[in-house]
Amino acid sequence: MQKQLNNKVIWITGASSGIGNAVLHRLLESGAIVIASSRKIDALQSLTTKYPQRLILISVDATDRESIYNCIDQISNRFNHIDIVILNAGNCVYFNAENFNVEILHKNFSLNYFGLALCIEASLKLLKKSVSPQIIGMTSAVAYLGLPTAEGYGAAKAAARYLLQCLQSSFKKDNISVSIICPGFVKTPLTDLNSFKMPFIISADKAANYIIRGIVNKQPEIAFPFRLVILFKLLNMLPSRLRIYLLSKLVSK
């Protein structure tokens, strides 16, 4: 299946660790030509020895317009198109509703929503030159359900999911396929910081397998693991009073 990505020109953000790094390895193994971006790009230098012709490293701050457009200019100077953009860069700053703080909302939205949107804006001109362009956007399973303590992160991911859903229809006429990644808990350096229990947690390698399969099949939604996604969707279908009661118990524990 991964052979379908052979020689595809792919730009991936947030490639230095976690899910992004696991996906990067799968892409390189598949024969893709990958432009890997991250603020911590030095962590990927060793891979350039193994894949000198197919891995290009470009440092990018995905919250900064100038940095993003500089990256796209570098890609444009080397290639005349991008086949696939995988917008994986993200952060998570937890929210204490008792001490409501809009600055925390800004921190979450800056990268998870506006960063993703800036990358789409900047890459469109090169995507439109591809025979079969794809946009792959990272959101979260938390976007299905308003969870306590996820007010900032969840809201940003839900906004990103809504934006990508809109673009799935809007870009249909341009033949641009849009896929939305909605992962549950994945073991990464980011989730290692969590102090709460994470049900159905999976490895970054397993998450990468789901994502690569979804990219190849052009799945509109790449949601995993199945049990957690179904749980969140079912909880969101409950009568509002019951849903609020059950989720409030999480806060009181």
Side-chain angles (χ1 to χ4, degrees):
M1 180 178 288
Q2 291 187 30
K3 289 182 179 179
Q4 295 180 44
L5 298 175
N6 187 51
N7 287 324
K8 293 278 189 180
V9 177
I10 302 175
W11 178 39
I12 178 170
T13 65
S16 63
S17 65
I19 296 174
N21 189 256
V23 171
L24 171 62
H25 279 80
R26 294 290 187 281
L27 295 173
L28 291 169
E29 290 164 5
S30 73
I33 300 166
V34 186
I35 301 95
S37 293
S38 171
R39 285 182 294 183
K40 301 176 181 178
I41 210 68
D42 289 346
L44 301 173
Q45 287 293 344
S46 60
L47 272 178
T48 58
T49 304
K50 187 175 181 180
Y51 302 100
Q53 304 300 319
R54 293 193 289 106
L55 176 60
I56 299 97
L57 304 181
I58 303 177
S59 179
V60 168
D61 178 351
T63 65
D64 183 77
R65 176 184 291 272
E66 184 177 351
S67 178
I68 294 168
Y69 271 87
N70 178 60
C71 175
I72 292 298
D73 286 342
Q74 291 184 58
I75 298 172
S76 181
N77 290 336
R78 187 155 184 169
F79 307 99
N80 66 352
H81 70 284
I82 297 176
D83 294 303
I84 303 171
V85 296
I86 304 174
L87 305 177
N88 168 75
N91 66 348
C92 179
V93 185
Y94 285 112
F95 197 100
N96 183 343
E98 293 178 358
N99 300 302
F100 201 95
N101 188 331
V102 174
E103 182 60 30
I104 294 177
L105 292 176
H106 278 294
K107 288 178 180 178
N108 281 287
F109 270 81
S110 178
L111 182 56
N112 295 315
Y113 179 77
F114 287 108
L116 178 142
L118 276 170
C119 288
I120 293 173
E121 176 190 276
S123 61
L124 268 178
K125 64 178 183 180
L126 292 183
L127 280 167
K128 290 180 178 180
K129 295 179 181 180
S130 171
V131 174
S132 183
Q134 292 179 254
I135 295 172
I136 316 296
M138 178 66 72
T139 67
S140 170
V142 76
Y144 297 127
L145 180 69
L147 292 173
T149 74
E151 288 88 345
Y153 174 76
K157 290 297 188 180
R161 183 171 180 269
Y162 187 92
L163 171 65
L164 292 164
Q165 277 190 316
C166 293
L167 295 180
Q168 285 177 330
S169 301
S170 299
F171 285 161
K172 185 73 174 176
K173 65 182 186 304
D174 298 309
N175 193 38
I176 300 176
S177 171
V178 179
S179 297
I180 307 169
I181 307 173
C182 301
F185 295 112
V186 178
K187 183 171 174 52
T188 67
L190 198 61
T191 57
D192 285 344
L193 300 175
N194 291 345
S195 58
F196 54 85
K197 185 177 180 180
M198 293 174 282
F200 311 117
I201 189 168
I202 63 173
S203 69
D205 285 337
K206 189 167 185 179
N209 290 337
Y210 283 117
I211 291 168
I212 293 297
R213 187 181 306 120
I215 292 172
V216 170
N217 293 326
K218 294 188 175 181
Q219 292 174 209
E221 187 168 271
I222 307 168
F224 57 86
F226 179 75
R227 288 181 295 174
L228 184 69
V229 170
I230 289 298
L231 175 62
F232 280 5
K233 288 185 175 182
L234 288 175
L235 282 170
N236 201 42
M237 292 172 64
L238 292 175
S240 296
R241 292 183 185 276
L242 177 58
R243 172 178 52 79
I244 293 168
Y245 172 77
L246 291 174
L247 292 178
S248 69
K249 293 299 182 181
L250 296 177
V251 182
S252 61
K253 287 184 179 180

